Amino acid sequence: MGKSAGAIRWFVQGRAVQALILASLLLVSGWRTPLLLAGGGPENVAVVVNADSFASLAVANAFVAGRKIPSGNLIYLPLGDLPDFETVDVATFRQRILRPALETLDARGLAPQIDCLVYSADIPYAVRVAGDLGDRKLPQVLTPTASVNGLTYLYALALAEQPEYMNLGINFYARLPLRVPVADTQAWTDDQREQYQQAVKLLNDKQYAEALEMFGALVEAHPRAAHLWYNRACALARLDRLDEAIEALKRAVENGWNDARHARADEDLAALNGREDFLELLKRLDAQSTRLRPTLGFRSAIGWSPEGQPVPPDAGMRYLLSTMLSVTSGRGLSVSEAIANLERSAKANSTFPEGTIYLMENGDIRSRTRQPMFAETTAMLQALGVRAEVVQGTLPKDRSDVMGLVAGSATFDWPGSGSSILPGAICEHLTSTGGVMVERGGQTPLSEFLRHGAAGASGTVTEPYAIAAKFPLPFLHAHYAQGCSLAEAFYQSVAGPYQLLIVGDPLCAPWARRPTVHVPELAQPLRGTIQFTPTADAPEGKAIGRFDLFVDGVRRAVCRAGDTLGLDTSLLPDGPHELRLVAVVEDAIQTQAHAIWQANIDNHGRRLELKATGGDAATVGQRIALRAAMDGATAIELIHQGRLLERIEAPQGEFTVDTAVLGLGTARLTAIARSESDGPVAAVSAPVTVQVERPKALSPVVIPDGAKLVPGVLVAAADRAPRIVEETHAPQWLEQLDVKPDEPVSIEGYVQIQTEDLMQFQWRCGRTVTLTVNGTEIAANSDERWKFVPVVLSPGTHHVLVRISGDGPPRIDLRFGGPGTYRIGAKQFRAAAPPEE
């Protein structure tokens, strides 16, 4: 079928809905915009979960509960067998994550309505894309590591194995300043890319004549490349050919160069200082006002042209909004912090906060890269009634109203700033490794903003070389303040998003002006074809443009405001169904809201019962029992939020479910019955809501008298003397201790807990591993899959013992933490030093 088959399938989904979209174009702010552009809502979000990770399950459950995501919009992927759950190669990403997620949505009939594909915790956040490059040579600034959400946003190219997803101007949905050029070096030949790198190096090495010659050849081939003209001007100025340098600068400006601040401070242009024509050119640039492409809502059902125009789906590039909900491994949050962060963000919607957007100015290149846009951003926000302030320094000091932050620094200390982040805020900093979440990532990670209250933050997953196109422009706050969701605001502000990791609540929209939707009065139970005219109260000064009717999370009908919605209930199984009526405001952002209610459908007199026989609450790891029954059923299936858990071939029977499969938090279980074993669904049950509680806290232990604790863990193997190990980061760390294959090993140590919290152990071994905490066996496994284990520890000292037995090589990757997780060693553990011989 070819490499792009999956992408093509997604391009043609939902023709009937697309026909309605394209048949009903309307003028909005001077743009011809499809009716189905929208601010998005929970019905348009799908959530990918690592089914083997308790943290991934817990974070997803919190997001689903807080945002009322339909149960069928969750996709559970068994990823415990991946060698690494933090980074992955691009082929594995396609085969194990992206393609299965899209195919699942396709099979459920959800593909046409999904605008945003989000990832829960413990799914690889970074993707190594060298496998898509072949022998292609890339500029130094295009490094072969992408973020999981960046490749998902560019899913069509990722599925087709087209590395054009690395193009720094590939995001046509971005609402870029109309006078800012995008350097499209992807269109260059490999030789030209290499020549450009050589020319820049020559300029930096002060070999100005040689650099000028190479820039001259390149500018002849690409006469509209503003950065080439600018660099040519630098070389000319260094050679004291000042008139020619001015002419080259003018050509740069004609082709989009706009950074007067940079030109004014550039030492390569110092010889031009004082010239009237140079000062006049700078003055002209200073006087220009930035004109952005108009802020627009997002829909995956349409395409985008290179000019930023919405177009028919087959005539432009299509995208999928995407974020990670949280990161709880490496330098991430604790599971409790991640859940609290999502709950806080969900409450921020439509609160119209009184906070301030701070834009930090300092001499660091990380700040200077975006400073030329600060004044324009501040003016835009103030025009929208949102406070904005340009502040000198790394972080705002002693401010209690941080609603947004544009920073540029390698490291920062948020608690030391004395400032407070308000619910719903977007805070991010331009630096090299803010999105590198592994435990040795270097600079301050984006998770520090989330930990202290931000709804969303971003950072690149590898060295970005301070290229502005890889980071959100400050204008993201202007899009956000106009009512866009967090995901829309981010993707409207970044031209080349392939390396940008965005973490947070994609639906957070503090400035969204939402309609109020009315539940229609329908006679119960529903039979045959029903029709009704939906109603909603629009925000002041606005009008309702469209209504969507969803049944059990699937869009079943669409109509314009004032028209009638119809639903043939005979096509649906008997039983309770969740109905959602979504109203969409008719403006550029197309903000939406919903009303949710349950309706009983009864066309055939079938009734399926599902009950929790032993209670509907349990501690994670305990089992719950349910009973289902329907007269005439040949098979009954138990469904957990879109996935099949168990099936019985009988009209009634018992189900037993391990709550570890459901995850911490609220889980919804339903049953479906079939009158024929492989026939259509005949009836559905009312949902059973199960509350899965975290484990009971373990009490601390007393350190044995006389024990001398030293940093690290104690490792013992066979009859040899035990050894203290401070570092276990290397894959071969046990081999380096001369541990032999098949040899039993024990690893033990003490950890000090300051505050009671939900912690986690993670390991991958391939042999039998048993975890004991304070003398109580917590978990064990005997395969090579990752094991994710929750544990709640009370304040005090706790003893951890890991035993490895069975056949296999002497290797284990063992981690512990909360917040984040780190390989065991001196960072967290102390061990009783063995007696001296």
Side-chain angles (χ1 to χ4, degrees):
M1 191 179 272
K3 293 180 179 178
S4 60
I8 292 173
R9 179 168 62 250
W10 261 66
F11 266 69
V12 300
Q13 282 295 315
R15 289 295 188 185
V17 175
Q18 288 176 0
L20 172 62
I21 299 171
L22 299 173
S24 54
L25 296 176
L26 68 155
L27 282 176
V28 177
S29 302
W31 290 68
R32 293 192 62 79
T33 308
L35 181 62
L36 268 178
L37 281 175
E43 299 78 18
N44 312 114
V45 175
V47 184
V48 181
V49 188
N50 182 346
D52 293 320
S53 161
F54 98 91
S56 195
L57 292 165
V59 169
N61 286 344
F63 179 66
V64 168
R67 287 296 182 186
K68 295 183 171 58
I69 306 295
S71 295
N73 288 23
L74 279 86
I75 303 161
Y76 293 89
L77 301 179
L79 301 176
D81 61 335
L82 293 180
D84 189 352
F85 58 88
E86 292 178 316
T87 66
V88 70
D89 65 86
V90 68
T92 302
F93 167 69
R94 267 191 294 268
Q95 296 164 7
R96 297 293 306 279
I97 299 173
L98 182 60
R99 195 179 299 277
L102 298 183
E103 289 176 347
T104 299
L105 295 174
D106 203 2
R108 294 179 186 173
L110 297 173
Q113 72 191 51
I114 296 301
D115 299 326
C116 186
L117 188 65
V118 303
Y119 296 96
S120 190
D122 287 342
I123 289 175
Y125 72 87
V127 184
R128 303 182 299 276
V129 301
D132 280 352
L133 299 179
D135 58 0
R136 176 178 292 199
K137 296 180 180 178
L138 296 176
Q140 183 182 17
V141 298
L142 295 183
T143 44
T145 303
S147 69
V148 63
N149 60 274
L151 280 193
T152 302
Y153 181 73
L154 301 163
Y155 73 96
L157 295 172
L159 288 176
E161 302 178 26
Q162 296 293 325
E164 281 72 17
Y165 49 68
M166 300 173 72
N167 191 322
L168 298 185
I170 196 62
N171 181 14
F172 305 152
Y173 172 60
R175 310 288 85 199
L176 299 176
L178 296 178
R179 62 184 177 86
V180 172
V182 175
D184 186 7
T185 56
Q186 289 287 102
W188 294 15
T189 67
D190 290 342
D191 286 344
Q192 287 170 342
R193 294 191 191 97
E194 188 172 346
Q195 288 170 16
Y196 177 70
Q197 293 182 52
Q198 291 175 358
V200 171
K201 186 176 187 303
L202 288 169
L203 187 61
N204 291 335
D205 291 344
K206 301 182 180 181
Q207 299 181 49
Y208 304 121
E210 294 84 351
L212 177 62
E213 182 178 355
M214 297 194 77
F215 282 127
L218 288 168
V219 85
E220 286 184 14
H222 300 281
R224 295 185 59 80
H227 64 298
L228 291 180
W229 285 109
Y230 182 85
N231 284 325
R232 179 175 167 80
C234 290
L236 286 164
R238 285 292 193 177
L239 292 170
D240 207 31
R241 294 161 61 175
L242 303 186
D243 290 342
E244 293 175 81
I246 288 292
E247 291 306 312
L249 267 183
K250 289 180 179 178
R251 293 294 299 273
V253 172
E254 289 170 5
N255 286 287
W257 181 269
N258 70 311
D259 194 345
R261 181 194 296 258
H262 182 84
R264 188 176 280 112
D266 196 333
E267 293 182 2
D268 287 336
L269 301 179
L272 299 178
N273 288 335
R275 283 182 61 116
E276 288 296 327
D277 47 6
F278 182 57
L279 296 175
E280 182 60 32
L281 192 61
L282 295 177
K283 183 178 179 181
R284 197 170 84 208
L285 289 178
D286 288 334
Q288 291 181 2
S289 60
T290 300
R291 187 163 60 92
L292 291 180
R293 291 171 178 169
T295 299
L296 292 176
F298 178 87
R299 277 295 190 196
S300 67
I302 64 169
W304 295 89
S305 74
E307 296 73 34
Q309 289 274 16
V311 295
D314 294 340
M317 184 67 70
R318 291 179 62 189
Y319 308 104
L320 270 175
L321 299 177
S322 183
T323 72
M324 287 201 76
L325 295 177
S326 193
V327 178
T328 56
S329 61
R331 302 193 295 164
L333 307 179
S334 71
V335 174
S336 299
E337 287 176 330
I339 291 171
N341 179 265
L342 291 170
E343 292 173 344
R344 171 184 168 99
S345 299
K347 296 175 182 178
N349 267 24
S350 301
T351 53
F352 304 97
E354 293 292 327
T356 301
I357 312 299
Y358 291 98
L359 302 96
M360 305 308 302
E361 191 171 69
N362 56 60
D364 194 318
I365 183 60
R366 300 169 179 85
S367 175
R368 298 202 314 269
T369 298
R370 297 185 288 184
Q371 285 176 15
M373 292 164 274
F374 282 7
E376 303 278 7
T377 301
T378 301
M380 290 178 183
L381 288 166
Q382 291 173 347
L384 293 167
V386 176
R387 291 196 301 272
E389 185 177 347
V390 178
V391 177
Q392 294 294 318
T394 299
L395 296 175
K397 293 290 187 181
D398 301 318
R399 305 295 179 95
S400 60
D401 64 343
V402 179
M403 192 57 205
L405 179 67
V406 179
S409 60
T411 60
F412 63 83
D413 173 15
W414 186 264
S417 74
S419 295
S420 301
I421 298 175
L422 299 182
I426 294 177
C427 299
E428 50 81 33
H429 67 316
L430 189 157
T431 193
S432 297
T433 61
V436 177
M437 303 308 296
V438 294
E439 61 182 271
R440 293 180 171 181
Q443 300 163 342
T444 306
L446 60 85
S447 52
E448 278 302 292
F449 289 127
L450 302 174
R451 175 168 293 113
H452 295 287
S458 66
T460 50
V461 295
T462 190
E463 172 59 61
Y465 292 98
I467 303 299
K470 296 183 180 184
F471 293 90
L473 300 180
F475 304 118
L476 84 89
H477 294 283
H479 303 306
Y480 203 37
Q482 291 180 69
C484 286
S485 68
L486 182 145
E488 288 173 324
F490 265 108
Y491 285 104
Q492 286 181 97
S493 64
V494 58
Y498 87 97
Q499 289 186 323
L500 188 68
L501 180 65
I502 304 171
V503 183
D505 182 348
L507 292 177
C508 193
W511 284 280
R513 299 176 60 201
R514 301 187 182 278
T516 301
V517 187
H518 304 146
V519 176
E521 296 182 3
L522 301 174
Q524 299 271 3
L526 306 182
R527 294 188 175 95
T529 298
I530 62 169
Q531 292 186 330
F532 65 95
T533 301
T535 60
D537 297 329
E540 184 177 355
K542 302 288 185 178
I544 303 298
R546 188 190 81 253
F547 290 94
D548 293 353
L549 179 63
F550 293 79
V551 181
D552 298 327
V554 179
R555 184 168 52 206
R556 295 284 183 174
V558 180
C559 77
R560 291 181 175 278
D563 291 347
T564 300
L565 277 174
L567 177 68
D568 184 355
T569 68
S570 67
L571 301 176
L572 300 169
D574 283 358
H577 293 264
E578 182 194 80
L579 272 61
R580 296 180 180 227
L581 181 61
V582 174
V584 183
V585 175
E586 189 174 66
D587 64 6
I589 296 172
Q590 301 279 286
T591 304
Q592 64 189 58
H594 62 216
I596 304 176
W597 73 99
Q598 184 172 289
N600 190 51
I601 293 177
D602 185 5
N603 287 296
H604 308 286
R606 303 181 181 119
R607 184 175 180 182
L608 173 60
E609 295 280 354
L610 178 68
K611 293 183 179 179
T613 57
D616 56 5
T619 300
V620 64
Q622 293 182 337
R623 305 183 76 83
I624 59 169
L626 302 102
R627 179 173 179 78
M630 188 187 90
D631 292 339
T634 60
I636 301 177
E637 299 170 1
L638 183 66
I639 307 297
H640 168 238
Q641 297 177 172
R643 62 171 168 167
L644 174 64
L645 292 184
E646 296 184 37
R647 174 183 169 108
I648 55 175
E649 303 283 345
Q652 60 183 1
E654 300 280 344
F655 297 105
T656 303
V657 179
D658 183 352
T659 54
V661 173
L662 308 180
L664 296 176
T666 302
R668 286 166 57 91
L669 298 169
T670 57
I672 61 174
R674 303 181 189 273
S675 297
E676 303 174 12
S677 182
D678 296 321
V681 177
V684 299
S685 74
V688 171
T689 300
V690 176
Q691 193 66 35
V692 182
E693 306 291 346
R694 69 184 197 173
K696 182 180 178 181
L698 297 178
S699 299
V701 297
V702 177
I703 299 173
D705 291 339
K708 178 184 178 183
L709 298 186
V710 296
V713 292
L714 186 68
V715 179
D719 298 326
R720 279 162 291 165
R723 296 175 59 180
I724 297 294
V725 178
E726 296 185 3
E727 169 62 61
T728 65
H729 198 275
Q732 307 87 2
W733 71 274
L734 281 175
E735 295 174 70
Q736 293 170 354
L737 296 176
D738 201 29
V739 176
K740 307 301 182 185
D742 309 333
E743 190 174 27
V745 181
S746 68
I747 306 166
E748 65 178 307
Y750 293 91
V751 61
Q752 186 71 25
I753 302 299
Q754 301 298 325
T755 305
E756 180 174 304
D757 198 1
L758 179 63
M759 318 292 284
Q760 57 178 324
F761 287 91
Q762 303 165 336
W763 71 77
R764 181 173 183 262
C765 183
R767 301 172 65 188
T768 298
V769 177
T770 303
L771 169 68
T772 300
V773 180
N774 299 346
T776 300
E777 182 175 317
I778 302 298
N781 77 323
S782 301
D783 57 36
E784 203 171 355
R785 302 177 67 86
W786 278 100
K787 183 73 172 178
F788 301 87
V789 179
V791 59
V792 179
L793 302 179
S794 298
T797 301
H798 296 266
H799 179 255
V800 174
L801 172 63
V802 174
R803 289 192 174 95
I804 305 172
S805 60
D807 298 338
R811 290 195 176 187
I812 185 172
D813 188 342
L814 176 60
R815 310 178 190 186
F816 169 79
T821 56
Y822 297 83
R823 289 172 176 85
I824 61 168
K827 179 180 177 68
Q828 297 164 300
F829 284 86
R830 295 179 298 160
E836 297 181 4
E837 296 184 1

